[in-house]
Amino acid sequence: MNSSPDILNVHSIETFGTHDGPGVRFVIFLQGCKLKCLYCHNPDTIAMEGGKPYSVEALFKMIMKSKPYFGKNGGVTVSGGEPLLQAKALIPLFKMLKAEGIHTAVDTNGRILNHFVEELLDNYTDLVLLDIKHMTEEGYQYLTGMKNHQTTFNLSKHREASGKPMWLRYVLIPGITSQPHLLSALGNYFKDFSTIEKLEILPYHKLGIHKWEALGWEYQLKDARENTKAELDDVKTMLEPYFNQVSIN
């Protein structure tokens, strides 16, 4: 991966995103992630190698061309992969975007919290989209292949202390993340956070299986089924008392 301070390693770009933050978003998917989530629908973003190098200036110019589409509610979201692996190079980009009054968001698994991440989030990120993988260490390790689920909660507490907005995202996998005791744990842990504007429930799907196969990897959740509408409605109803807003994304 290119470590130059003004170069970002980009997997892909979506110029008219509507599912990664408020309004119409210019979404930059960065290459590289330390987790290997069993349900990842973009497994081709996991490897640290690959991607395409973009200068901060080049990305900024592309974004400015799309600015008329943002309206009052849109902006730029950086996702991945895991975008905070490249926090150092995101700082100058977000600084330029904020100077233009453009809303900025980061979609992260919360795995990294260093001084570059703190500067990016505290000074230049309007919204953090935080992916909650699982509420237990055992479940987190099973789903992500990595230890220490507490890292995500550490980032959530840092964001809460900053007083700046955050959305939570939770992939609902029947039989794995959908159990009532896990949903209660999710609600109880975050119920007193004042910065959480909403919880987004992300229904489980298998749209990424062909990408796993193309990489020569075995997709281990083939037997997992998708959620029924009734299940999604029940989970939404169950979690609404804990959060200002719960939506099905």
Side-chain angles (χ1 to χ4, degrees), residues 96-114:
M96 294 163 73
L97 296 178
K98 293 315 303 169
E100 292 292 334
I102 295 174
H103 184 275
T104 56
V106 168
D107 181 7
T108 176
N109 60 41
R111 189 75 194 173
I112 307 157
L113 187 61
N114 56 34

Side-chain angles (χ1 to χ4, degrees), residues 22 24-28 59-78 92-106 120 123-127:
V24 174
R25 315 294 297 181
F26 186 103
V27 187
I28 304 169
L59 286 169
F60 177 71
K61 288 179 179 178
M62 292 173 65
I63 292 166
M64 289 305 293
K65 290 180 180 178
S66 295
K67 188 179 179 183
Y69 297 106
F70 297 160
K72 292 182 179 180
N73 299 320
V76 174
T77 299
V78 181
L93 175 62
F94 272 31
K95 190 180 295 187
M96 294 163 73
L97 296 178
K98 293 315 303 169
E100 292 292 334
I102 295 174
H103 184 275
T104 56
V106 168
L120 177 71
N123 299 334
Y124 305 110
T125 304
D126 294 312
L127 177 66

Side-chain angles (χ1 to χ4, degrees), residues 3-248:
S3 59
S4 173
D6 62 348
I7 298 292
L8 285 159
N9 193 27
V10 176
H11 173 270
S12 56
I13 293 171
E14 184 178 357
T15 59
F16 205 83
T18 56
H19 297 287
D20 297 281
V24 174
R25 315 294 297 181
F26 186 103
V27 187
I28 304 169
F29 296 92
L30 297 186
Q31 184 72 34
C33 184
K34 297 294 187 182
L35 305 184
K36 190 177 180 180
C37 296
L38 297 183
Y39 54 75
C40 182
H41 61 276
N42 287 317
D44 44 329
T45 67
I46 293 175
M48 303 303 290
E49 301 76 23
K52 181 179 178 181
Y54 279 82
S55 70
V56 166
E57 187 64 35
L59 286 169
F60 177 71
K61 288 179 179 178
M62 292 173 65
I63 292 166
M64 289 305 293
K65 290 180 180 178
S66 295
K67 188 179 179 183
Y69 297 106
F70 297 160
K72 292 182 179 180
N73 299 320
V76 174
T77 299
V78 181
S79 185
E82 173 46 56
L84 296 185
L85 288 170
Q86 301 185 56
K88 185 177 181 180
L90 282 173
I91 291 169
L93 175 62
F94 272 31
K95 190 180 295 187
M96 294 163 73
L97 296 178
K98 293 315 303 169
E100 292 292 334
I102 295 174
H103 184 275
T104 56
V106 168
D107 181 7
T108 176
N109 60 41
R111 189 75 194 173
I112 307 157
L113 187 61
N114 56 34
H115 69 280
F116 293 120
V117 170
E118 291 178 357
E119 181 180 353
L120 177 71
L121 299 187
D122 294 353
N123 299 334
Y124 305 110
T125 304
D126 294 312
L127 177 66
V128 169
L129 309 174
L130 183 61
D131 300 317
I132 307 299
K133 304 297 185 182
H134 203 280
M135 292 306 295
T136 72
E137 177 64 18
E138 182 182 21
Y140 183 87
Q141 289 187 34
Y142 169 70
L143 281 178
T144 71
M146 293 289 283
K147 296 181 179 180
N148 196 2
H149 77 306
Q150 189 61 41
T151 56
T152 303
F153 301 124
N154 290 343
L155 191 139
S156 75
K157 288 185 284 190
H158 178 87
R159 187 64 175 179
E160 171 72 4
S162 76
K164 297 189 174 184
M166 171 169 53
W167 294 4
L168 302 184
R169 311 184 103 182
Y170 188 78
V171 177
L172 194 70
I173 311 171
I176 297 176
T177 62
S178 64
Q179 294 96 323
H181 73 279
L182 295 176
L183 300 175
S184 294
L186 174 70
N188 280 308
Y189 187 91
F190 289 107
K191 67 182 187 327
D192 294 325
F193 279 55
S194 62
T195 59
I196 297 174
E197 295 182 338
K198 68 153 61 172
L199 165 69
E200 289 188 324
I201 298 295
L202 309 181
Y204 171 68
H205 61 72
K206 300 182 180 181
L207 299 179
I209 289 182
H210 68 284
K211 295 182 181 180
W212 283 73
E213 293 172 345
L215 291 167
W217 297 349
E218 180 183 358
Y219 188 79
Q220 297 181 39
L221 295 182
K222 284 183 179 178
D223 294 334
R225 62 174 179 81
E226 298 185 355
N227 311 272
T228 66
K229 183 181 185 303
E231 286 171 338
L232 292 171
D233 290 342
D234 286 347
V235 168
K236 183 174 185 290
T237 299
M238 178 181 177
L239 289 171
E240 281 177 333
Y242 298 102
F243 299 98
N244 293 325
Q245 181 184 351
V246 178
S247 65
I248 309 295

